[in-house]
Amino acid sequence: MASRVQGPGATDHAQRTGARRSQQGVSALTGRSSRRGVRAAVMCAGLVACTSGERPLRLGTTYTVEQSGALAVLDSLWTGPPPLTTVVAPSGQILRAAANGDLDVVIAHAPSLEQRLLVGPGHALLRCPLAASRFAVVGPAADPARVATAATAAEAFRRIASAGSPFVSRGDSSGTHVKELALWRAAGVTPAPRWYLESGTDQATTLHLADERRAYALADLPTYAKLGGLASRILFAADTALTNPYTLYVARRPEPHPAVRDFATWATHAGREGLLALRLPDGTPAFVQQPGECGAMAKP
């Protein structure tokens, strides 16, 4: 059984503080306090796992991997040794922790952040395409911004801005947040504080908040499907720009865990097969295979 530690920004944070209204439209990504928070989480998790007498393999992954059901599948299939310690936080925090040497392996879904924080600086030893899900624009059934009839995801976002319809962003440097920012840029829009809210928390809490406010949001389809009971509807998903790729990285560390390559091989074979077996309510695959095989990363 894998031990689990939630990183900063867990669900109860939003319940305590509520959504915060952005004062500058799309917020800048931050890292210093996030990195310290994930490091503390890893240390605490390590103390739990190390009681078995064997050094744990430290996996960092994201709230979307957890809340989509993907992490539960990987946990159920992994029979170790070594014991697996999992830290869950937004992609940006996880990638910074890996770059800082606090994690052995990460699964993230923010390609631009992965390149900037892990691959470009030479902190990744191995890169393994794992699987991909899809994002969708969800919102009230009445669809006041007419998102459902948009031709592209960028046009859907442009219509939300033109209508001044409320939109709830994660605003947490997660893979979902990074994708959302890219879509606003593609739409040529800077979100306005009067209709743009940031939850600062995980995917599930953000979607519940959007539901309460009859607002639009960007959702990972497997996570949306697992929540149930939402009045929000899937309004737009038919654009390749909404592909949500997950990639596994082995972090470059002075003393790599001896089992880390074996775990990467397992994850991209037996682990991936488990993910590909997951289905959405309409019977379509929740995840599809990403092209490519594991490849070594050269130092810059």
Side-chain angles (χ1 to χ4, degrees):
M1 178 68 68
S3 61
R4 186 81 52 81
V5 171
Q6 295 285 346
T11 299
D12 63 345
H13 172 77
Q15 293 172 338
R16 290 195 308 269
T17 63
R20 64 181 184 273
R21 187 175 295 272
S22 172
Q23 299 303 312
Q24 299 178 336
V26 179
S27 62
L29 303 184
T30 59
R32 185 176 300 172
S33 61
S34 299
R35 182 166 63 248
R36 287 200 300 267
V38 173
R39 177 182 291 179
V42 171
M43 290 173 64
C44 294
L47 291 174
V48 174
C50 285
T51 57
S52 67
E54 187 171 7
R55 177 185 167 192
L57 184 67
R58 296 177 295 181
L59 166 66
T61 192
T62 72
Y63 288 121
T64 304
V65 172
E66 180 186 49
Q67 294 173 347
S68 67
L71 185 55
V73 169
L74 296 177
D75 276 351
S76 69
L77 295 176
W78 175 250
T79 56
L84 189 63
T85 293
T86 306
V87 178
V88 181
S91 290
Q93 296 180 25
I94 289 299
L95 292 167
R96 289 182 180 94
N100 202 49
D102 295 323
L103 297 168
D104 297 300
V105 59
V106 296
I107 298 173
H109 65 126
S112 61
L113 282 185
E114 293 157 22
Q115 178 63 36
R116 179 162 63 86
L117 300 177
L118 205 62
V119 176
H123 299 308
L125 183 65
L126 196 67
R127 178 185 184 277
C128 302
L130 186 59
S133 65
R134 283 184 298 145
F135 285 114
V137 182
V138 301
D143 191 16
R146 299 180 295 109
V147 163
T149 57
T152 65
E155 183 186 340
F157 271 53
R158 203 155 41 240
R159 289 185 177 191
I160 292 170
S162 295
S165 297
F167 184 98
V168 179
S169 166
R170 285 186 59 175
D172 64 349
S173 184
S174 62
T176 305
H177 183 214
V178 171
K179 171 64 75 172
E180 177 217 316
L181 297 181
L183 292 170
W184 289 123
R185 287 194 297 271
V189 170
T190 299
R194 63 185 175 81
W195 52 264
Y196 186 73
L197 304 172
E198 290 182 320
S199 70
T201 189
D202 60 83
Q203 175 83 102
T205 304
T206 299
L207 292 179
H208 279 294
L209 180 60
D211 200 55
E212 292 168 5
R213 305 232 175 165
R214 294 185 176 86
Y216 292 94
L218 186 66
D220 172 70
L221 279 177
T223 302
Y224 173 88
K226 284 186 69 66
L227 290 178
L230 296 177
S232 297
R233 295 290 179 262
I234 297 170
L235 299 173
F236 186 90
D239 189 338
T240 55
L242 295 175
T243 299
N244 185 24
Y246 291 90
T247 305
L248 181 149
Y249 293 93
V250 171
R252 192 183 298 277
R253 304 181 68 236
E255 296 181 9
H257 194 292
V260 72
R261 286 181 179 268
D262 290 340
F263 179 83
T265 299
W266 170 86
T268 52
H269 290 81
R272 176 192 284 155
E273 289 175 8
L275 297 183
L276 299 183
L278 293 174
R279 291 290 182 270
L280 297 174
D282 63 1
T284 59
F287 295 89
V288 297
Q289 185 165 340
Q290 276 211 83
E293 300 295 330
C294 289
M297 299 281 96
K299 283 189 175 182

